[in-house]
Amino acid sequence: MKYAFRNGFILDGNKDMEPVSGKTILVNGDKIEDIVSDEVNCDAYEIIDLKGAYILPGLINMHVHLAGNGKPQKKQRDNAKLVKFIFSNPLGVQIAHRLVRYYAKLELLSGVTTIRTVGGLKDLDTRVRDEINKGKIIGPRILSANEGISVPHGHMAGSVAIIAQNNEEALDHVDTLIDQKADLVKLMITGGVMDAKEKGTPGQMKMPVDMIKAVCDYAHEKGYLVAAHVESPEGVKQALKNGVDSIEHGAKPDEETIRLFKERKAFLTTTISPALPYALFDRSISNASEVEQYNGNVVFEGIIECAKKALQNDIPVALGNDVGCPWVAQYDFWRELVYFTKYVGVSNRFALYTATCVNAKLAGVGDISGTIEKGKCADLIVTKDNPLEDLKSLRHVSMVMAQGKLIRDPKFKKKAIVDEQLDRFI
């Protein structure tokens, strides 16, 4: 299809973006063919009259777990046991496959045209990725790690991460990921908020440092980058010392942490969304224990401080929302941009730039997506109001285009209780 988007304001995704009017974006197939004056004759194209709306690059969510639905939980569940049951029979596998497809579609309908998955069920993420690429289903561009690598009693062990008893098993899983044509490797190096049993102990080291190094060395040899779940200062340092390329979440940094980030040329993926409910909700709403709330606040403050210090020291910072965690829905990535401005202190423009241009570069797709430029993929969204003035305008996108495929007036069902509670913090 050939489309001409005109009579609107273009926000191109670059650092100093300002609304540009009087220009038409020409899309031919899956590419932006050109950006021309509104006066140019476009009879060969289907005219999309934006009627003064804003058109910008599709958002890029750098930390997604497609298997989760974000439903609030009254108590912790045994995720490993649940996953084992799901994959014990063909019907369970079929249902899980359909859910992953559906959650990927939700990301797209909400304006996210690229996702980076960092822990999933078996090989379902790459299977869905391939179905999207072949045009069998609609969805965002997927960069997938499939299952992460954890250790006995480690973070997400047995659910969205395999359990490696030793280095050999960990390296075997890297070979499995290569066979599955995954896009990156994910390590679960520390515990998280829900893993900690005492106050002040979230993010305890779980993975031996020699395993971290062995996996990173082997993955790099095979051409793969390594992302790592880390939620403590010591965990961040050990991850960076032993070769990790991106720190997912983060923790309160010191001068050594900053030095290690720079030496490793690593980046930080900030994820404020999953920690916020545990830290800031009343426990009667979050259903968190006193210990979980205390530790949630430690992680919440650590993530924010890590992002602030990283930006102050010119360390690249990406945005993801750890979708799939309780209270984090597949359609709510826009909230992460709002939290980035509110708690880290960046401007609306910088948050939008991060969620488009910066995320694209850090994901390795900056040459094809992340900005509105001639020759790039037609990954576009349209909002009625200007997100530079109010990022909440991203909550409702009126159009989504992913690699040239246009969805008009996307609609999906939302979780009322999630919106009701989270809206108090935006």
Side-chain angles (χ1 to χ4, degrees), residues 8-220:
F9 295 93
I10 298 173
L11 295 172
D12 64 13
N14 285 301
K15 191 171 185 178
D16 299 319
M17 74 182 98
E18 291 287 350
V20 173
S21 60
K23 297 287 186 180
T24 293
I25 300 172
L26 301 179
V27 172
N28 189 347
D30 65 346
K31 295 288 193 297
I32 297 173
E33 185 176 41
D34 208 348
I35 302 171
V36 299
S37 167
D38 275 350
E39 304 304 316
V40 171
N41 185 296
C42 296
D43 287 347
Y45 300 79
E46 179 181 343
I47 306 297
I48 307 293
D49 186 352
L50 296 176
K51 299 179 180 179
Y54 293 78
I55 187 166
L56 55 149
L59 303 180
I60 298 173
N61 189 344
M62 289 287 279
H63 194 110
V64 171
H65 298 285
L66 275 178
N69 61 15
K71 182 179 179 180
Q73 297 177 10
K74 291 187 176 181
K75 63 180 181 178
Q76 287 197 53
R77 66 185 181 191
D78 188 336
N79 289 312
K81 183 177 179 180
L82 176 61
V83 170
K84 185 177 180 179
F85 172 75
I86 288 171
F87 284 88
S88 67
N89 62 88
L91 178 59
V93 176
Q94 185 179 31
I95 291 171
H97 190 175
R98 288 180 178 177
L99 283 174
V100 170
R101 281 177 171 176
Y102 173 67
Y103 294 146
K105 183 178 178 180
L106 272 185
E107 290 276 347
L108 179 64
L109 295 179
S110 68
V112 176
T113 54
T114 298
I115 61 174
R116 174 174 172 261
T117 71
V118 284
L121 300 178
K122 306 293 183 183
D123 65 341
L124 290 185
D125 289 0
T126 49
R127 287 170 63 183
V128 171
R129 175 201 65 189
D130 295 345
E131 289 168 345
I132 292 168
N133 291 344
K134 291 175 183 177
K136 294 181 178 180
I137 58 174
I138 63 168
R141 177 184 294 104
I142 296 179
L143 307 169
S144 171
N146 280 345
E147 291 177 291
I149 302 173
S150 192
V151 294
H153 310 294
H155 189 64
M156 306 308 291
S159 59
V160 296
I162 64 104
I163 299 172
Q165 301 283 349
N166 50 50
N167 292 5
E168 183 179 359
E169 290 186 3
L171 299 184
D172 284 345
H173 185 63
V174 177
D175 285 332
T176 297
L177 293 173
I178 294 170
D179 291 341
Q180 294 168 347
K181 294 183 172 56
D183 301 290
L184 67 151
V185 176
K186 172 69 179 298
L187 297 180
M188 305 295 188
I189 290 178
T190 75
V193 172
M194 307 302 285
D195 302 315
K197 304 304 179 186
E198 298 177 1
K199 287 185 178 180
T201 61
Q204 285 184 320
M205 285 292 297
K206 300 287 186 179
M207 182 171 286
V209 293
D210 63 312
M211 183 181 288
I212 301 170
K213 187 177 190 310
V215 171
C216 288
D217 287 350
Y218 189 59
H220 293 158

Side-chain angles (χ1 to χ4, degrees), residues 277-298:
Y278 290 105
L280 303 185
F281 280 17
D282 186 279
R283 290 198 291 116
S284 65
I285 301 297
S286 67
N287 297 304
S289 68
E290 185 179 350
V291 170
E292 290 166 349
Q293 185 179 58
Y294 182 94
N295 288 332
N297 197 62
V298 171

